[in-house]
Amino acid sequence: MSANLFFQLSALLAIAVGTAFLVRLIKQPLLIAYIITGIIGGPLLLNLFAASEHMYVAFSEFGVVLLLFIIGLDLNFSYLKKIGKEALIIGFLQFLLNFFLILLLVYFLGLSWSGAAFLAVTVCFSSTIVVLKMLGDKQDEDSVYGRYTIGLMLVQDLLSIVILLFLSFLTPSNALASDYWWFLFKTLAVITSIIIAAKFILPDFLRKIAAHGEFLFIFTVAWCFGVASLFLWSGFSLEIGAVVAGLSLGASSYRAEIASRIKPLRDFFLIIFFIILGSKADFLQINEILMPALFLSIAVILIKPLVLYRLFRWRRFTRRNSFLAALTSGQLSEFGFIILFAAAALGYLPGQELAIFTVAAVITIFFSSYLMSYSYQLYNLLLPFFLWFGRDKRVQPEEIKENFDALIFGYHRTGWKIGEALKKKKIKFAVVDFNPESVDKFQRQGLRAFFGDASDVEFLQSLPLTRAKIIISTIPSPEDQLVLIHFVRKHNPKAILITSLYHKKYLSSLYKAGADYVILTHLFGGSWIADIVARGELEKHSAWNKYRRHQIKDLNGS
């Protein structure tokens, strides 16, 4: 069994690598490659899932939970308060308008009213997984349209939970239907426990384990899956639990380090999710469901973005942000499968609604990935059309991200003396350190401090490195410094980059990688002593007493 699973997984990943190579060669979204891999590996061709399909589904759920956990990490309650009103208004109106428009259209496909109604409900949801994946690939999560799109996804997720709860009440054997008060008790108990843990327990606990990267990683995964499981037990979904798990850690100063360690694991399991999605395309019934699926796909790709665009414009968003946000809605959602499965179990789907939805989901995700990938180019292409209606008078400035003139890696070593000099020159700087106690100390001193590992590229991507004029590293590891140098030279080639070494062995490697200057501490120490000799102070006790007092004073103030 295990040997067969390893063969299946290696074969799937080999197909994914080959397909991804071809897809990137023609500059297309990688997500398309994963869906094609699922079609090739699914029942239509190789049927690699037959023996272990449940295990692959579990893998894909891991990816969904980890993705939403990281989204929760990037959110905070002040952020939710800021976007909440608009997200709620647009989210609810979008759902209602899409439902009535799509209901009339799908009824003419020959479905029953109940089948058409459930299909219309599922069409109202967009894929949280696809949208967040594409926003992350484009690094648009912090843009105006990206923030409100994430808010809309959360509203849609909450609406899907309400619908699933309603379906649960229709099931006589369901515990929710028979014991409503027990459901409320579980919900309140779980939420209260998480709030108490996040406020009083987690901060001290994270401070103690943050310096051990492996320990931090294990705890984070355990916390994510544990909270998600508690929410599932209380009657909600794993997805909502994952967002809450991330929110509970979102205020931590270790947030960037946590996210950087989780992302590679998330990406692996998300690949499995999209492969599974592609494998579910039921082409065996293609003659019967192709035309309804195509009709539904066209309606989704055209109607949903148009409705969302008009709602964003009504709420006084710019044409550009309204257009970019609208393009994120043109696909079907993974929650649709869950709702249709529940409806089928209750006997409300007498026809081929689920098969139609599955093929339409693959088609819409396929095409909407292109639309989102090239959204900026599409807007520029359509700009002359928009200008026919006059210039856009609405303005929404993007939030300015943190920028610093200088960043110092390893502040508790040589860096603090450099920081003192930068303060005197009134140069704005931030510090980066991998010692959680040092980071807390720097923050108490009023310094902007980031906690994380400089050898982690995911963590470096979260730092404001692209506009820094000066980057100084006193990290002792030359291997870590090489990672930092390569990253900086790729993303900020004009920055002055100063590094340090305790030995000249790696000097040529650092210069070759792109360091502007490498501080060799033993040479500086020798130069300092040579300067004392030149001043004739080598044999003067009074001089050394003076230097010792200055040293102790500096160390006490560091």
Side-chain angles (χ1 to χ4, degrees), residues 325-367:
L327 288 185
T328 65
S329 65
Q331 78 286 128
L332 297 178
S333 169
E334 58 280 353
F335 280 118
F337 288 104
I338 301 172
I339 293 172
L340 288 179
F341 281 134
L346 291 170
Y348 291 114
L349 299 181
Q352 296 178 318
E353 292 85 0
L354 187 57
I356 293 171
F357 182 88
T358 302
V359 174
V362 174
I363 293 172
T364 55
I365 289 173
F366 190 95
F367 282 101

Side-chain angles (χ1 to χ4, degrees), residues 151-223:
L152 282 178
M153 294 298 103
L154 294 176
V155 171
Q156 288 188 12
D157 291 348
L158 289 172
L159 283 171
S160 69
I161 298 303
V162 171
I163 292 171
L164 289 173
L165 288 174
F166 175 74
L167 291 176
S168 298
F169 280 109
L170 298 178
T171 308
S173 61
N174 192 282
L176 276 177
S178 60
D179 200 344
Y180 178 73
W181 293 107
W182 174 235
F183 164 69
L184 286 179
F185 172 77
K186 288 191 295 183
T187 301
L188 289 174
V190 168
I191 293 175
T192 302
S193 300
I194 292 171
I195 291 173
I196 292 173
K199 190 170 183 179
F200 299 107
I201 300 173
L202 288 180
D204 288 336
F205 185 75
L206 286 173
R207 192 176 298 112
K208 292 177 181 177
I209 69 170
H212 308 283
E214 187 175 340
F215 195 179
L216 182 65
F217 170 76
I218 294 171
F219 166 75
T220 301
V221 175
W223 177 257

Side-chain angles (χ1 to χ4, degrees), residues 541-555:
H541 288 286
S542 58
W544 289 110
N545 288 335
K546 178 182 70 175
Y547 295 137
R548 184 172 64 250
R549 287 194 301 271
H550 287 168
Q551 183 187 63
I552 293 172
K553 181 180 178 182
D554 282 342
L555 290 174

Side-chain angles (χ1 to χ4, degrees), residues 223-240:
W223 177 257
C224 170
F225 290 162
V227 173
S229 299
L230 281 175
F231 268 79
L232 183 65
W233 170 76
S234 64
F236 289 91
S237 69
L238 285 169
E239 291 77 11
I240 293 295

